[in-house]
Amino acid sequence: MRKKIVAGNWKMNLLSAEAQELFSTISKEVTSSEKCDVMVFSPSLFISKLTEIKSNVKLGFQNFYPEEKGAFTGEISITQVKDSGADNVLIGHSERRAYFHEDHGFLKNKVDATLKHSVNVIFCCGEPLEEREAGNELKYVKQQLIDSLFHLNASEIVKCVIAYEPVWAIGTGKTATIEQAESMHKSIRSWIEEKYNSEIANSISILYGGSCNAANAKELFACPNVDGGLIGGAALDANSFLQIIASF
Ligand code: PEP
């Protein structure tokens, strides 16, 4: 059975007291026998406070720098991530690719750093609107995986989680249709099978992200190749996030 996951990406939102309140509220409801793993990617500033809250919700960083230490002003190293106890990270989010110019080579270095330091990764991929409109979405997403993830060997790739997040659906309120989501997830699984084998392809969790909310999560998570969601806006509201978790 593949691991089911619901992960919240708080992005650059909330102040410290709000973050602690939201995390506490969620933590009171998420039990150890939930049908899915639950994670929150908080602004890094709040992580140490949040790790003090007793919780079944895992914590993670939205960003880090793929070096162990050194003169990289303003950055958080992969070893600092590991040391924090919140050893989950997002890599390849479209906002990091677009606004911070993180390219394929840099993302590959980030992936390698997580494996070297036993940090868990959710690797995000997804096409912009113009690629979908041109009918290039499969080619585009496959290339993102080839460029930054498929250099891993079999024992490494099985440790990764993939999130398919069509850029045109992120924060826009426009969700991929069930058919669009399932078709891309199925294709991603087939490329993993092509590169590795079917056992590996069937063991890797692939999450959907892009305006997933309490109203559409159940239908999306019912798709055979959708193993959960990466949730932005709807993760900032405890009730919505809890309802998404309860969709499994
Ligand atoms: C995201 O940023 O990963 C995301 C899916 O955002 P939203 O749910 O707001 O579209």
Side-chain angles (χ1 to χ4, degrees):
M1 266 288 274
R2 283 193 293 275
K3 199 184 272 183
K4 307 292 182 192
I5 300 169
V6 171
N9 174 12
W10 287 355
K11 310 195 185 190
M12 198 178 70
N13 292 299
L14 307 172
L15 297 178
S16 181
E18 295 166 330
Q20 288 173 65
E21 195 188 324
L22 178 56
F23 194 71
S24 296
T25 308
I26 296 164
S27 297
K28 279 184 199 128
E29 301 297 326
V30 174
T31 67
S32 56
S33 53
E34 223 59 60
K35 293 200 184 100
C36 59
D37 278 7
V38 181
M39 285 181 200
V40 161
F41 291 88
S42 157
S44 46
L45 192 59
F46 307 147
I47 296 272
S48 70
K49 272 275 173 222
L50 299 184
T51 53
E52 288 170 11
I53 298 170
K54 195 170 156 359
S55 184
N56 292 306
V57 179
K58 295 177 182 164
L59 280 163
F61 286 74
Q62 298 167 22
N63 186 38
F64 67 98
Y65 197 76
E67 292 289 340
E68 295 176 5
K69 61 179 178 178
F72 299 98
T73 301
E75 293 295 326
I76 291 169
S77 73
I78 185 67
T79 44
Q80 289 165 336
V81 166
K82 184 72 187 170
D83 182 55
S84 74
D87 51 359
N88 299 285
V89 291
L90 293 179
I91 297 180
H93 193 283
S94 62
E95 288 151 18
R96 300 273 346 149
R97 292 179 192 255
Y99 306 145
F100 304 100
H101 313 292
E102 294 194 3
D103 64 13
H104 300 316
F106 186 64
L107 298 179
K108 187 169 177 244
N109 290 343
K110 286 179 121 178
V111 168
D112 291 343
T114 60
L115 287 157
K116 185 168 172 207
H117 294 278
S118 303
V119 168
N120 306 307
V121 54
I122 297 184
F123 182 86
C124 307
C125 56
E127 79 289 355
L129 185 61
E130 59 273 22
E131 297 294 340
R132 172 142 308 250
E133 284 177 347
N136 287 337
E137 67 275 11
L138 293 177
K139 199 166 160 237
Y140 188 92
V141 172
K142 186 176 186 184
Q143 196 59 48
Q144 287 181 319
L145 297 174
I146 290 171
D147 287 342
S148 306
L149 205 59
F150 282 1
H151 63 288
L152 298 178
N153 66 32
S155 66
E156 293 168 332
I157 191 89
V158 288
K159 294 179 185 152
C160 299
V161 170
I162 296 172
Y164 168 59
E165 301 203 296
V167 180
W168 45 271
I170 295 180
T172 58
K174 198 174 170 201
T175 320
T177 62
I178 300 304
E179 293 73 27
Q180 286 170 327
E182 173 58 17
S183 151
M184 181 61 82
H185 283 231
K186 198 173 168 197
S187 299
I188 292 172
R189 213 174 289 294
S190 76
W191 302 326
I192 302 170
E193 178 169 355
E194 210 172 271
K195 169 77 188 170
Y196 300 94
N197 60 47
S198 63
E199 199 189 328
I200 289 176
N202 285 321
S203 73
I204 293 181
S205 303
I206 308 176
L207 316 184
Y208 170 79
S211 299
C212 181
N213 57 39
N216 58 30
K218 210 179 179 90
E219 213 182 356
L220 283 161
F221 297 173
C223 295
N225 285 290
V226 176
D227 305 306
L230 180 54
I231 320 295
L236 292 169
D237 177 79
N239 283 336
S240 302
F241 192 57
L242 290 166
Q243 278 181 54
I244 294 170
I245 296 163
S247 303
F248 272 118

